[in-house]
Amino acid sequence: MPDVQPLVSDFVLKLKRRKVEGSHAVARQTAELLRSVVSQHRMGSSANQAAALADAVRAVGEQLIAANPIELAVGNIVRRVLHIIKEEDISSTAVGIEGLSVTVDSDDEYDREDDDRPSLSAAVLAAHARNALRAPSLQTLLEDIPVSPAISRTASSTGDSDGKSKSAGDKTSTRKLKHDVIAAIGDLIDEIDSCYEPISEQAVELIHQNEVILTLGRSRTVKEFLYAAKEKKRSFRVFVAEGAPRYQGHVLAKELVEKGVQTTVITDSAVFAMISRVNMVIVGAHAVMANGGVIAPVGMNMVALAAQRHAVPFVVVAGSHKLCPLYPHNPEVLLNELKSPSDLLDFGEFSDCMNFSTQDGSPLLNVVNPTFDYVPPKLVSLFVTDTGGHSPSYMYRLIAEYYSADDLVVRRKSTA
Amino acid sequence: MDIRRPPPRSSSGGVEPRYRQVGFVTSADPEPAAAPAPAPIPAAAASPPASDGLSPVMIPPRIVPGHHPAPGSESLMPSSPPPVSSSRLDALSDLDGDDDDVDVSWARPPPPALPESIKVNLTETKNRGDPTSVPQKPKLSKAERRAIQEAQRAAKAAAKETASDVNTKMPKQPKAGKASLKKDVSQANALVASDKKTDEHPPDKDRKKDVPQPRMQFDDLHRVVKAKKRSVVNQSEAQNRVELFRHLPQYAHGTQLPDLESKIFQPDLLHPSVYKVGLQYLSGDISGGNARCIAMLLAFREAINDYSTPAEKILSRDLTAKISSYVSFLIECRPLSISMGNAIRFLKNRITKLALAMSESEAKASLQSDIDRFINEKIIVADKVIVSHAVTKIREDDVLLTYGSPSVVEMIFDHAHDLGKKFRVVVVDSRPNLEGQGLLRRLVAKGISCTYTHINAVSYIMHEVTRVFLGASSVLSNGTVYSRVGTASVAMVAHAFGVPVLICCEAYKFHERVQLDSICFNELGDPDVISRVPGGESLSHLKNWAENENLHILNLKYDITPSDYVSMLITDYGMVRCPATSHLTICVYMQITLHSSYLQPP
């Protein structure tokens, strides 16, 4: 644990100073850091290895989230890792159950009152245990096997021989747990890295011929999305709104033009004027909230309202690492960050205005430069994620897949 | 821009070609109807302006010795009869809505095909003067004129092969004519991009609602080429034009200046004050509907002051032509705003209404006082009325949002602050003009506490806002508001948050046109301004945007706010809830452009 502390502090500092920005980079680095944390964690001999591991991760996660609460990707990854730990724990316990059930059978031959007790494979047990964690979904309903009474019986029967077999398989189980968790986190990192491919594959289904697409600012996901469509020889034109005050739209326009896409750069104020001639709005997001609302770069709400007015579909493309299990309360204030006014006003020119103030000393001039905008779910037509296309009302289901309910508040639990 | 042709003289084979006069033709027009004496106008004078690029000023040098006829004139002499005939036909066919020109046009010897009766009419009218043109008009019934026109058109079509090129176009005075007949005339599309309606309807004519004349079609290559030949200023077309806006002119900015600079030394072409105003438009020093309109009217006032009627000319016609030439110059500096268009229409209306009996100095004084009254009543007093209405809508502790830098709204805030109301202002700004910064500075200097933000953040700030005050460049007849680009977005977000939107617009800016979206009619600005981003080299990704044919930049200047986003419209006629706007707009518009009695305050 102490080995990893400098790494953690380093990353916390980077987050605090906004040296690392953008959900993709942040998610990746968080996952790598947590992998190191897990691998460095010394597994004790206490009864519940998984709980201790989760606690360690929670401690680190708390620090990371506090460093930059606006960067929701940090919290997402922390919660994903916690969920992974739980899952791996359950599956390894299920394997343990499997092993135990064999011994139970051999020991308690005379207990066989009911011969029709089905022998359950470890995989099934594990699946069932995992399903118990999740909220009911179509997948789980299809997988569901009516084995709950049998399971509980086996679980109770293992209790007797628990201590016996546990001490025997102790080292192997903990090592296995750690190994599995690290492997799963590695999968998570790969998933984060390769989130663009599954999203881009859906581009062909959405973009046809002679489309006119509008986007605002620059999102790497949108860029890959449009590249994929271009490669499949769809003909479309793009209007890129420049996305003041960072003007990332200019960068995106340049990149698109290099691929041969007809691009027109417009100012943000012209979005309403042009949207009547647009077929589809495709934008990226900073984070997707549990209710299907979107935290997006500033200006997106205006675009979404204009799209709704003109009945233009508003499509949000986002990788699953952006999916946040939190519900947005007052997101414009609580999930927003105000940047420096120098983007808007040149200090040199306006320094004389800064001198004015009212009687009570409050300045007469106040400059507001928010970073993010909240788009309510009713304005979004479609989410395109690496698991497919979803409507905003479905997003809470995805959350149940990836996160567990008691991880919503990442706080270190007092160790037993 | 109409040139009164001299009555036919026996010397030349027919009628002089009636040229389209574009640009700074000075008052070299011979006085047509009143002096039937055939001043031997050398055919050279009637020659078409040189399109050989010798001088960018495309004018048919008329008579005056001061003018150097275009070199190409000699060569065209032999061919003048055929072009003459065609242009004459053009002239006649263009007559219809040109109530003012009627007599003059008719003064031309009618083509042989005309029935005798009409010919008699023509000679009669020819012998009378201009001012009687209006009462004469009813004499020619609609059917008769239509018959004449049809005959002209047929003959013209026949003569079209022999017609020479653009140079024999008629001078075009934009007309509020019968649109159907108008459309046939290829020269009907003036270089003047804005639709200028002229003169009143004769009161006893059946009042058909006039369809606005189609504007210059910039997507028609043929017409663009013709227009370019006639243009005063050499505009080079922008590279990488946006397809969607092919119907609007897109010029490369900054190329006109050298040409314009040379014009200052030709004072007879252009009055210096008009030139100055044009340059101020070009550089963006003067912007905003009211400011531009006032500047233009004051420049015209100066020009009228210095004007003197040339010999054998009628003041009203000549002055109208001159004003038209000034206007075309101003258009080439920057397309007209709707307020300017209305003011020009008003001025031309007043000119034509001048009684012939007035002496020149009386006429000039009358026109100047008309201009002064227009500025005073329609702009200055109107603004005061609007301000007095609007301050009643400001309550204590209000948070008021405005977009850009509307002059009226600034006055409202100043006045409310002077009244001692306690409120604060949110100024929303956008690229590329960043007009809000000027407003911000002025408001802070007055002691009003302000918040400044950019248009993307309007959703963020709208939570705090209680009222939105917006200005307008015009209010159209279907209730939509034509204003600075971005206004529609602000109004939309305000509407979504339930914040009332109040549009403050003087009544003289109303227009009878209808428009559904921002694409049909707009103004395109300089695209380079967008590619230039503050913040140094690291941010200028689009530095060489013109090199790439796939990359376009669009700099729209105006947009349309749908009427359902507007809660209330505040004008000098009062405060109006939007559904009633259309009736009000049309009434006011008609008043401005058609009736000279408009000058009475409402």
Side-chain angles (χ1 to χ4, degrees):
Chain A
M1 199 52 163
D3 301 321
V4 87
Q5 195 51 45
L7 280 177
V8 172
S9 316
D10 200 31
F11 191 52
V12 163
L13 211 55
K14 270 202 234 166
L15 283 176
K16 269 197 190 149
R17 292 183 181 164
R18 310 292 190 262
K19 285 242 167 72
V20 51
E21 270 192 322
S23 17
H24 181 88
V26 167
R28 201 173 193 289
Q29 293 188 30
T30 310
E32 284 168 356
L33 177 67
L34 288 178
R35 187 167 57 177
S36 322
V37 167
V38 168
S39 65
Q40 303 275 355
H41 177 78
R42 215 165 288 124
M43 297 292 249
S45 55
S46 57
N48 205 344
Q49 303 295 320
L53 183 59
D55 216 28
V57 170
R58 227 176 258 127
V60 172
E62 214 183 341
Q63 292 180 53
L64 295 180
I65 292 174
N68 188 352
I70 309 298
E71 194 57 76
L72 294 165
V74 175
N76 296 349
I77 298 302
V78 169
R79 292 185 189 96
R80 286 287 283 269
V81 169
L82 290 172
H83 187 73
I84 286 173
I85 294 175
K86 268 203 195 73
E87 273 199 6
E88 294 301 330
D89 183 37
I90 290 192
S91 60
S92 63
T93 317
V95 171
I97 292 174
E98 146 90 355
L100 286 170
S101 66
V102 170
T103 57
V104 162
D105 280 345
S106 57
D107 285 351
D108 303 348
E109 277 156 312
Y110 47 86
D111 244 354
R112 276 204 221 180
E113 289 99 83
D114 34 352
D115 288 319
D116 51 349
R117 188 176 63 189
S119 61
L120 304 161
S121 68
V124 167
L125 278 175
H128 186 80
R130 215 174 296 128
N131 293 342
L133 274 176
R134 294 184 197 164
S137 71
L138 277 180
Q139 259 184 324
T140 59
L141 287 174
L142 289 172
E143 284 176 0
D144 211 358
I145 310 151
V147 292
S148 23
I151 292 284
S152 54
R153 208 174 305 143
T154 50
S156 55
S157 63
T158 57
D160 311 325
S161 33
D162 218 349
K164 192 169 53 160
S165 50
K166 254 231 163 132
S167 54
D170 208 0
K171 283 216 172 49
T172 49
S173 71
T174 53
R175 222 182 307 132
K176 193 166 186 315
L177 173 66
K178 209 161 124 173
H179 178 78
D180 286 342
V181 168
I182 290 176
I185 297 182
D187 286 341
L188 175 62
I189 294 177
D190 288 338
E191 189 189 301
I192 295 172
D193 277 340
S194 65
C195 70
Y196 301 120
E197 277 92 59
I199 293 178
S200 308
E201 280 162 18
Q202 301 173 61
V204 192
E205 294 158 22
L206 287 175
I207 300 180
H208 310 292
Q209 298 295 338
N210 297 330
E211 295 260 352
V212 181
I213 293 173
L214 174 76
T215 186
L216 182 123
R218 175 177 180 263
S219 158
R220 192 173 150 194
T221 323
V222 172
K223 188 182 77 167
E224 302 286 339
F225 195 80
L226 295 177
Y227 279 0
K230 187 71 187 167
E231 263 159 49
K232 295 285 196 314
K233 306 277 187 281
R234 303 289 171 148
S235 68
F236 57 96
R237 287 185 288 129
V238 181
F239 283 107
V240 180
E242 55 181 8
R246 294 179 64 201
Y247 306 111
Q248 292 295 301
H250 292 199
V251 181
L252 178 65
K254 222 163 123 183
E255 290 167 342
L256 287 176
V257 161
E258 279 161 20
K259 286 277 179 170
V261 177
Q262 277 246 328
T263 316
T264 306
V265 175
I266 60 174
T267 53
D268 310 307
S269 39
V271 163
F272 190 89
M274 299 308 300
I275 203 160
S276 58
R277 293 292 190 275
V278 166
N279 297 131
M280 197 187 315
V281 177
I282 302 181
V283 295
H286 173 74
V288 180
M289 310 306 289
N291 65 342
V294 180
I295 305 288
V298 70
M300 211 58 86
N301 192 26
M302 190 175 71
V303 177
L305 286 169
Q308 186 196 43
R309 158 82 186 198
H310 291 88
V312 175
F314 188 81
V315 176
V316 176
V317 293
S320 55
H321 61 274
K322 294 186 180 172
L323 181 59
C324 180
L326 299 176
Y327 183 88
H329 298 284
N330 201 2
E332 288 89 352
V333 176
L334 297 179
L335 289 176
N336 210 337
E337 199 170 36
L338 296 182
K339 286 215 162 112
S340 160
S342 61
D343 290 339
L344 302 183
L345 280 189
D346 190 21
F347 280 133
E349 280 180 25
F350 277 85
S351 52
D352 51 344
C353 289
M354 310 286 192
N355 292 338
F356 294 113
S357 60
T358 57
Q359 271 91 3
D360 47 353
S362 61
L364 277 186
L365 177 57
N366 176 27
V367 179
V368 170
N369 186 5
T371 322
F372 296 118
D373 224 357
Y374 174 68
V375 180
K378 66 179 196 294
L379 296 178
V380 180
S381 308
L382 182 69
F383 280 103
V384 177
T385 66
D386 42 359
T387 51
H390 308 289
S391 81
S393 47
Y394 187 76
M395 296 318 277
Y396 79 97
R397 289 304 197 74
L398 290 181
I399 284 161
E401 297 238 342
Y402 293 137
Y403 305 102
S404 44
D406 45 353
D407 285 332
L408 241 48
V409 177
V410 176
R411 198 180 303 128
R412 184 177 197 150
K413 297 197 174 107
S414 53
T415 46
Chain B
M1 300 216 286
D2 54 324
I3 298 175
R4 303 292 173 256
R5 291 285 157 178
R9 61 201 66 71
S10 49
S11 55
S12 46
V15 137
E16 266 71 53
R18 187 172 174 187
Y19 294 118
R20 176 194 303 271
Q21 176 177 344
V22 171
F24 326 127
V25 180
T26 45
S27 42
D29 307 303
E31 209 222 338
I41 295 178
S47 69
S51 58
D52 52 5
L54 268 189
S55 89
V57 176
M58 321 284 310
I59 318 153
R62 285 293 205 114
I63 331 118
V64 169
H67 272 263
H68 25 291
S73 61
E74 315 305 321
S75 57
L76 279 164
M77 265 166 58
S79 65
S80 55
V84 159
S85 60
S86 70
S87 58
R88 177 197 56 193
L89 299 173
D90 297 344
L92 283 172
S93 60
D94 214 10
L95 273 182
D96 197 43
D98 190 359
D99 306 338
D100 217 17
D101 298 344
V102 146
D103 57 329
V104 182
S105 329
W106 290 119
R108 189 158 301 115
L114 279 184
E116 240 348 276
S117 57
I118 298 185
K119 193 165 186 180
V120 169
N121 263 342
L122 291 179
T123 47
E124 277 180 10
T125 61
K126 157 182 101 180
N127 287 328
R128 298 206 232 148
D130 273 3
T132 54
S133 70
V134 170
Q136 280 179 37
K137 192 148 169 133
K139 285 200 179 156
L140 299 161
S141 77
K142 192 167 158 184
E144 282 172 314
R145 287 173 46 200
R146 197 181 281 263
I148 293 167
Q149 294 216 1
E150 291 303 319
Q152 301 317 319
R153 200 157 301 113
K156 168 192 165 187
K160 205 169 171 112
E161 291 79 50
T162 52
S164 79
D165 56 348
V166 305
N167 301 319
T168 60
K169 295 282 171 294
M170 334 177 321
K172 174 79 182 95
Q173 172 157 4
K175 311 181 193 355
K178 310 294 181 280
S180 55
L181 295 171
K182 275 276 156 299
K183 284 186 173 83
D184 292 342
V185 181
S186 63
Q187 298 93 331
N189 293 315
L191 182 61
V192 179
S194 66
D195 50 344
K196 293 212 217 129
K197 312 269 193 293
T198 172
D199 327 318
E200 55 171 11
H201 293 269
D204 53 332
K205 269 276 176 77
D206 49 325
R207 187 79 88 70
K208 185 177 89 174
K209 175 88 169 82
D210 286 343
V211 175
Q213 176 199 335
R215 288 180 280 266
M216 171 75 178
Q217 289 173 236
F218 289 93
D219 47 356
D220 186 341
L221 209 54
H222 185 50
R223 290 189 187 155
V224 168
V225 164
K226 288 200 284 193
K228 263 166 85 151
K229 288 184 182 167
R230 291 191 300 265
S231 71
V232 172
V233 178
N234 277 344
Q235 299 256 25
S236 57
E237 281 194 6
Q239 305 161 290
N240 292 12
R241 295 166 54 137
V242 181
E243 266 313 304
L244 201 55
F245 288 94
R246 280 217 154 254
H247 58 291
L248 296 175
Q250 296 177 58
Y251 292 122
H253 284 239
T255 55
Q256 316 97 314
L257 262 156
D259 278 339
L260 284 182
E261 278 165 11
S262 63
K263 302 242 177 332
I264 191 66
F265 298 111
Q266 295 168 334
D268 45 341
L269 300 177
L270 192 61
H271 193 272
S273 58
V274 176
Y275 183 74
K276 177 176 161 199
V277 164
L279 281 186
Q280 283 174 322
Y281 289 167
L282 192 60
S283 64
D285 281 344
I286 296 186
S287 75
N290 284 344
R292 287 171 72 191
C293 187
I294 293 179
M296 178 189 74
L297 285 177
L298 291 179
F300 284 171
R301 195 177 177 285
E302 287 285 314
I304 290 175
N305 200 16
D306 297 340
Y307 171 78
S308 58
T309 321
E312 300 180 349
K313 291 270 189 73
I314 293 190
L315 175 129
S316 64
R317 299 261 178 67
D318 184 56
L319 188 56
T320 312
K322 214 162 171 136
I323 298 283
S324 302
S325 72
Y326 293 160
V327 167
S328 66
F329 168 73
L330 291 178
I331 286 172
E332 291 180 359
C333 295
R334 190 180 158 186
L336 290 186
S337 68
I338 297 187
S339 56
M340 289 166 70
N342 286 353
I344 291 167
R345 236 165 273 140
F346 161 78
L347 183 60
K348 287 193 176 170
N349 194 7
R350 296 303 299 161
I351 294 177
T352 59
K353 290 273 171 43
L354 289 175
L356 197 63
M358 274 183 163
S359 72
E360 178 178 316
S361 58
E362 277 177 7
K364 279 167 44 169
S366 152
L367 283 178
Q368 289 179 3
S369 83
D370 281 342
I371 290 179
D372 287 338
R373 281 180 71 197
F374 184 89
I375 293 178
N376 191 39
E377 289 174 15
K378 292 306 129 194
I379 305 181
I380 299 182
V381 172
D383 281 346
K384 293 206 180 85
V385 173
I386 292 176
V387 165
S388 66
H389 284 313
V391 290
T392 62
K393 295 294 175 196
I394 300 179
R395 306 160 300 182
E396 284 295 306
D397 292 325
D398 256 352
V399 180
L400 309 173
L401 183 138
T402 186
Y403 174 71
S405 171
S407 51
V408 187
V409 175
E410 189 179 342
M411 286 189 232
I412 293 172
F413 291 160
D414 287 344
H415 187 62
H417 187 71
D418 291 338
L419 287 180
K421 294 200 181 196
K422 190 160 147 293
F423 62 95
R424 64 183 178 90
V425 173
V426 178
V427 178
V428 178
D429 204 5
S430 82
R431 284 233 306 152
N433 295 329
L434 293 173
E435 296 161 335
Q437 291 189 355
L439 175 66
L440 178 71
R441 195 184 281 279
R442 292 190 290 272
L443 289 178
V444 169
K446 279 212 75 156
I448 301 174
S449 72
C450 298
T451 303
Y452 177 79
T453 182
H454 62 105
I455 190 168
N456 277 341
V458 79
S459 302
Y460 175 85
I461 205 80
M462 196 56 77
H463 291 285
E464 311 174 358
V465 174
T466 56
R467 297 253 194 280
V468 174
F469 280 89
L470 298 172
S473 177
S474 171
V475 178
L476 302 181
S477 166
N478 59 337
T480 57
V481 179
Y482 184 76
S483 53
R484 177 70 64 218
V485 67
T487 311
S489 300
V490 172
M492 170 184 70
V493 174
H495 181 81
F497 282 80
V499 176
V501 175
L502 294 92
I503 306 282
C504 308
C505 180
E506 298 88 351
Y508 83 101
K509 289 180 177 169
F510 290 177
H511 201 280
E512 67 168 3
R513 198 173 81 210
V514 293
Q515 199 170 331
L516 286 175
D517 61 15
S518 320
I519 320 269
C520 320
F521 180 68
N522 213 316
E523 185 187 328
L524 295 170
D526 186 8
D528 284 325
V529 178
I530 294 187
S531 63
R532 265 180 265 132
V533 162
E537 282 301 303
S538 62
L539 281 183
S540 55
H541 306 277
L542 294 183
K543 223 172 6 175
N544 302 318
W545 66 276
E547 294 166 6
N548 201 320
E549 57 178 12
N550 278 333
L551 182 60
H552 310 269
I553 299 189
L554 183 62
N555 184 1
L556 277 184
K557 291 243 165 165
Y558 293 103
D559 73 5
I560 288 283
T561 305
S563 55
D564 45 340
Y565 290 154
V566 179
S567 312
M568 181 171 280
L569 175 65
I570 304 180
T571 74
D572 41 333
Y573 281 76
M575 298 194 273
V576 184
R577 289 281 312 278
C578 235
T581 308
S582 58
H583 184 68
L584 171 69
T585 313
I586 295 179
C587 290
V588 170
Y589 177 79
M590 292 302 194
Q591 279 193 323
I592 299 174
T593 55
L594 303 176
H595 304 311
S596 56
S597 61
Y598 176 59
L599 276 182
Q600 271 80 49

